[in-house]
Amino acid sequence: MLEVIEANGLVTVQDLGRRGWRRFGVPLSGPMDAFAFQAANSLVGNPLNTAALEIGAGELELETDQDCVIAAAGVGYTVSVYIWEFQLWDSYFVRAGWRIRLKKNGYGMWAYLAVAGGFDTVPVLNSHSTFLRSRLGGLDGQSLQGGDQLKIGTTKLALADLAARRLVADARPAYTQSPLVDVILGPQAGRFTDESLETFLSSPYRVSTTSDRMGYRMEGTRLEHHGNVDMISEGMDVGSVQIPPDGQPIVMMADCATTGGYPKVASVIHADLPLLAQCTPGADSVRFRETTVEAAQDKYRTVMEKMKDGVVNL
């Protein structure tokens, strides 16, 4: 078991999401920064979809009752094991009785803690991901609190072989407080004036403090619609950029609704969603740049190949 000693901020169990249920109105959920989540699992020898912990804008302290290997990845945190402090993007051997701490120490929003064997929670609709609004998955569908206990799954790999591994810096996303994020223009791009499209693709937008796991609200130059803003609701996915009547973009994130009734000007490509996710609301800003489907697919393949080839033994 790993016992939660203290948790603040938002700490949930996530895997890569509840796929196959969106047609029934159930959101995907899963990690906000899918790259860091998968990297943490890769470092401890887990399949990339294995359940891990997501820590959002807070801190976490755990104690283990068995020997294990952990890895942490993300932005803006440090890791301490027993009496030693370490950096993210590495894996560590932890002895029974030792404590693990993730501390917030800089810009960035999300960190991920994976353990060799994963966290053995009860799946709901074929996923371990926590969806707080419906109390689905994870540990009773809730954010973790002090006293909670998480069962560690089994691994066939030797713990000694999984410790002291690192994802090299060149294989990590280029996280920054002002990222340039690639988008594909959306199905309702024609509902906006040429001037508004130019503004969207050239102006900075700050991430609003009203943002959450459902969507990141942007603050910047207002985008003007042609005619009626409302439309018949249609399917929506992670990365979709909706423009409500106030003209301020909303980028749909991990817990986004399955349908929406505002025009979608664009969609953030999956390879760049981690860059946006790690922006701090109220402080960081983002710019959008148009790309093509083919370029987006190539970028995603390159990112995943770098992760696969970038794990080295220390």
Side-chain angles (χ1 to χ4, degrees), residues 1 6 10 15 19 26 40 45 52 57 89 102 140 157 160 187 206 225 271:
M1 290 283 186
E6 183 178 4
L10 181 62
D15 57 19
R19 299 182 183 276
V26 181
W89 308 99
L102 274 83
D140 300 323
L157 304 174
R206 189 171 69 168
H225 302 80

Side-chain angles (χ1 to χ4, degrees), residues 103-126:
K103 300 178 182 179
K104 193 77 177 68
N105 74 336
Y107 89 89
M109 280 294 295
W110 307 98
Y112 297 87
L113 181 71
V115 60
F119 292 103
D120 188 10
T121 61
V122 178
V124 177
L125 301 180
N126 304 321

Side-chain angles (χ1 to χ4, degrees), residues 268-289:
V268 175
I269 70 171
H270 280 209
D272 284 356
L273 276 170
L275 303 181
L276 175 60
Q278 292 291 0
C279 288
T280 303
D284 298 344
S285 62
V286 60
R287 289 179 181 266
F288 300 104
R289 176 179 62 185

